[in-house]
Amino acid sequence: MTSKPNVRQPSHVACRDCSLSSLCLPLALSLQDIDQLDRIIKRGRPLKKGEHLFLEGDPFTSVFAVRSGAIKTYTATNEGEEQITSFYLPSEILGLSGMDTDVYPVSAQAMETTMICEIPFDQLETLSDHFPELRRHMMRLMSKKIREDQQMMMLLSKKNADERIATFLINLASRFRRRGFSSQSFRLSMSRNEMGNYLGLAVETVSRVFTRFQKNGLIYAVGKEIEIRDPVQLCSLAGGKAVDIEQIISSV
Amino acid sequence: MTSKPNVRQPSHVACRDCSLSSLCLPLALSLQDIDQLDRIIKRGRPLKKGEHLFLEGDPFTSVFAVRSGAIKTYTATNEGEEQITSFYLPSEILGLSGMDTDVYPVSAQAMETTMICEIPFDQLETLSDHFPELRRHMMRLMSKKIREDQQMMMLLSKKNADERIATFLINLASRFRRRGFSSQSFRLSMSRNEMGNYLGLAVETVSRVFTRFQKNGLIYAVGKEIEIRDPVQLCSLAGGKAVDIEQIISSV
DNA sequence: CGACTCTTTGATAACCCTCAATCTGTGTGG
DNA sequence: CCACACAGATTGAGGGTTATCAAAGAGTCG
């Protein structure tokens, strides 16, 4: 299988051997096509916690896939504070929103030690000229991102603190599950502060809600480790569409 | 120019003769290519106020361009209320967020009498197989939408009522200007209720802010007609990035 | 002109933010 | 190895912004 001898680090696993390939870009490609994608992907050294993948305003050159760890993207408010716009977990793709501006509209920073696959965009475009499926997959990714952002807008404009945090936890749980990890208990890669920033809440509010959820037996949390104790009620609080809830409850 | 004799209604203007073509999909196409796009576009009868273009859950078949009038998209919250996700003005494209689900994730409704160009998606995909520029244009559209949604998330999570409404008005003004209309005075196609729904505010708050803005000489508003009296201060309230503000102030 | 919706205005209260203090955990240097 | 410094997390008190409730005014359409 791995004819190339350069498997010096786990970061050099080929796409076809990557456990995340079924979730990531190669999804739509045949084995042979994957090798072509594989050739254009750059796998850099791991990013340490706090290191930046790119900065707001940097020239847009690549999209990125998270292999392990976690990335946050953020932009600066006019008062100079940071506003977190997304968290990215393994197999998730970031950088697509820079496409129409030639610069990244957000900064991307590692929240823990993180391995990244970098996909130079001009080469990805060239490649996608020949693989309509790859093209459609990228369009679908962007379309999905738009829908997710709209869910987020709904959260921010209609939900109270309890509902926001319940939604956030359920969302994380289902993303962990999709990657094959436990969705009942997992480790939050972000601080309470980052969570509040993302959810439009003060740190203190996040903390209070966590405490209350724990008192009521919805979750059990020590530090960043979290266990979902009552997925049904948590989903009910999150208040997604019924159809989504079914899926998530069965997954937690 | 117009060799086809079927110009029975304004809605049957060909893309190459459409005053919005420089803003809409044909942007990236040569005159000859535009004609090919033109052939696949369906131009239905005008939608009357309140009529739906599509409903949440309808099978995804087409993307749409607004020719005149205005469209809102909304989704139902779990309590059954509507949550408006976007307003679309002439030359703007809607429906792209349905691409990865095969159904529209939102409903689209005319806020006034509205003319629409419908672009069947399968044909658009076929066409874009041959025109890389069309493809890139669509990707850019989606990328732009993602950035706009993220601006909206920032508005919802960090801005107070005054700032939200200032931002909304400045945004509308710049969109009107882009279409060649006055950005100093224009007509709101949405009700106070719809505006509040979109901005995450109660109707009463919207009304109060309008009254206060008027008292302070920022705007002059009677009903849906609105005039921007102090664009500098309004922009300052909106608090966008400095570079954007410059552009907008000069435009109002 | 009457029924309707939309808008405005006022009073009240809920929710969450801010400020402040304490507590916990983590890493660093003596 | 411990003590200390520091950042993050928790808890409490108080106040501000905006939602909610209620009612009246303005505009619209049959």
Side-chain angles (χ1 to χ4, degrees):
Chain A
M1 274 290 189
T2 52
S3 56
K4 290 189 283 184
N6 64 347
V7 190
R8 300 170 312 185
Q9 291 180 27
S11 66
H12 289 83
V13 167
C15 281
R16 63 193 305 171
D17 300 325
C18 174
S19 61
L20 300 170
S21 70
S22 63
L23 301 170
C24 177
L25 269 187
L27 179 60
L29 299 177
S30 71
L31 272 183
Q32 192 177 348
D33 301 343
I34 286 181
D35 283 344
Q36 291 208 37
L37 177 64
D38 196 59
R39 254 172 245 128
I40 71 171
I41 287 183
K42 297 197 272 186
R43 297 171 186 83
R45 62 177 174 73
L47 270 71
K48 284 198 285 269
K49 177 174 180 173
E51 278 190 286
H52 279 89
L53 190 53
F54 50 80
L55 289 172
E56 188 171 350
D58 278 356
F60 171 72
T61 56
S62 305
V63 297
F64 301 88
V66 180
R67 266 194 56 72
S68 67
I71 296 278
K72 70 173 175 187
T73 55
Y74 65 91
T75 180
T77 67
N78 37 311
E79 286 88 22
E81 315 156 57
E82 82 175 28
Q83 164 68 44
I84 295 173
T85 56
S86 282
F87 298 115
Y88 293 90
L89 301 182
S91 85
E92 298 177 340
I93 310 281
L94 69 151
L96 285 166
S97 60
M99 257 173 33
D100 68 318
T101 52
D102 297 332
V103 298
Y104 294 104
V106 293
S107 301
Q109 188 179 25
M111 296 192 294
E112 51 192 86
T113 303
T114 298
M115 289 200 297
I116 292 289
C117 294
E118 175 175 357
I119 309 158
F121 187 66
D122 53 352
Q123 294 180 52
L124 184 61
E125 272 200 315
T126 309
L127 195 61
S128 74
D129 284 346
H130 304 113
F131 299 115
E133 268 314 311
L134 179 58
R135 205 153 69 223
R136 296 201 176 95
H137 187 56
M138 285 176 59
M139 296 274 265
R140 272 193 293 269
L141 276 181
M142 299 182 71
S143 169
K144 184 166 172 231
K145 174 73 174 158
I146 292 173
R147 280 188 305 110
E148 287 167 352
D149 284 354
Q150 287 184 350
Q151 287 296 102
M152 191 64 193
M153 284 162 46
M154 189 133 119
L155 176 145
L156 290 170
S157 81
K158 288 273 184 296
K159 293 183 179 176
N160 63 24
D162 284 17
E163 292 164 346
R164 290 183 198 194
I165 289 178
T167 306
F168 182 69
L169 293 177
I170 292 295
N171 176 267
L172 276 185
S174 73
R175 281 155 78 188
F176 278 118
R177 176 172 180 270
R178 193 153 184 276
R179 294 164 40 207
F181 290 93
S182 166
S183 55
Q184 266 186 58
S185 81
F186 46 86
R187 188 173 180 285
L188 301 168
S189 42
M190 69 290 296
S191 67
R192 302 282 191 274
N193 196 17
E194 290 170 323
M195 206 184 305
N197 180 305
Y198 178 64
L199 294 173
L201 298 170
V203 200
E204 297 92 329
T205 305
V206 175
S207 187
R208 275 184 254 270
V209 173
F210 264 67
T211 305
R212 188 148 23 84
F213 277 8
Q214 187 145 346
K215 256 181 206 150
N216 299 341
L218 295 183
I219 63 171
Y220 178 73
V222 282
K224 292 194 158 56
E225 295 296 332
I226 191 158
E227 188 183 323
I228 294 182
R229 283 278 172 82
D230 190 342
V232 176
Q233 208 181 330
L234 208 60
C235 277
S236 156
L237 256 178
K241 305 279 167 76
V243 54
D244 300 332
I245 289 181
E246 296 301 326
Q247 192 185 346
I248 292 166
I249 286 177
S250 67
S251 86
V252 172
Chain B
M1 276 291 191
T2 53
S3 55
K4 291 188 284 185
N6 65 347
V7 190
R8 300 169 313 185
Q9 292 179 25
S11 66
H12 288 82
V13 166
C15 282
R16 63 191 305 169
D17 300 324
C18 175
S19 61
L20 300 171
S21 69
S22 64
L23 301 171
C24 177
L25 268 188
L27 179 60
L29 298 177
S30 71
L31 273 183
Q32 191 176 350
D33 300 343
I34 286 182
D35 283 344
Q36 290 208 40
L37 177 63
D38 197 58
R39 254 173 243 126
I40 72 171
I41 288 184
K42 297 197 272 188
R43 297 173 184 80
R45 62 176 174 73
L47 269 71
K48 283 199 285 264
K49 178 176 178 168
E51 277 190 287
H52 279 90
L53 189 53
F54 51 80
L55 290 173
E56 188 172 348
D58 278 357
F60 171 71
T61 56
S62 304
V63 298
F64 301 88
V66 179
R67 265 195 57 73
S68 68
I71 296 278
K72 69 172 175 186
T73 54
Y74 63 92
T75 181
T77 68
N78 37 311
E79 285 86 23
E81 316 156 54
E82 83 174 27
Q83 164 67 44
I84 296 172
T85 55
S86 284
F87 298 115
Y88 293 90
L89 302 181
S91 85
E92 298 177 340
I93 310 282
L94 68 151
L96 286 167
S97 60
M99 257 175 29
D100 68 318
T101 53
D102 297 331
V103 299
Y104 294 105
V106 293
S107 301
Q109 189 178 24
M111 295 192 294
E112 50 193 85
T113 304
T114 298
M115 289 202 297
I116 291 289
C117 294
E118 176 175 358
I119 309 157
F121 187 67
D122 52 353
Q123 293 180 54
L124 184 61
E125 273 202 312
T126 309
L127 197 61
S128 74
D129 283 346
H130 303 113
F131 299 116
E133 267 314 311
L134 179 59
R135 203 153 70 222
R136 296 201 174 96
H137 188 57
M138 285 176 60
M139 296 273 266
R140 272 193 292 269
L141 277 180
M142 299 181 72
S143 169
K144 183 165 173 235
K145 174 74 173 158
I146 292 174
R147 278 187 308 112
E148 286 167 353
D149 284 354
Q150 287 185 349
Q151 287 296 102
M152 191 65 191
M153 285 163 45
M154 189 132 117
L155 178 146
L156 291 169
S157 80
K158 288 275 186 295
K159 293 184 179 177
N160 64 24
D162 285 17
E163 293 165 345
R164 290 185 198 193
I165 289 178
T167 306
F168 183 69
L169 293 177
I170 292 293
N171 177 266
L172 275 185
S174 73
R175 282 154 79 186
F176 277 119
R177 175 170 181 272
R178 191 151 187 277
R179 294 164 40 207
F181 289 93
S182 167
S183 56
Q184 267 186 60
S185 82
F186 47 88
R187 189 175 177 285
L188 300 168
S189 42
M190 68 291 295
S191 67
R192 302 283 190 272
N193 196 17
E194 289 170 324
M195 206 183 306
N197 182 305
Y198 177 63
L199 295 174
L201 299 170
V203 201
E204 295 92 330
T205 305
V206 175
S207 187
R208 275 184 255 268
V209 172
F210 264 67
T211 306
R212 188 147 24 84
F213 277 7
Q214 186 144 349
K215 257 181 206 152
N216 299 342
L218 294 184
I219 62 171
Y220 179 73
V222 281
K224 291 195 159 56
E225 294 296 333
I226 190 157
E227 187 183 324
I228 294 182
R229 282 279 171 82
D230 189 342
V232 176
Q233 208 181 332
L234 209 60
C235 276
S236 155
L237 256 179
K241 305 280 167 77
V243 53
D244 301 333
I245 289 181
E246 297 301 326
Q247 192 184 346
I248 293 165
I249 286 177
S250 68
S251 86
V252 172

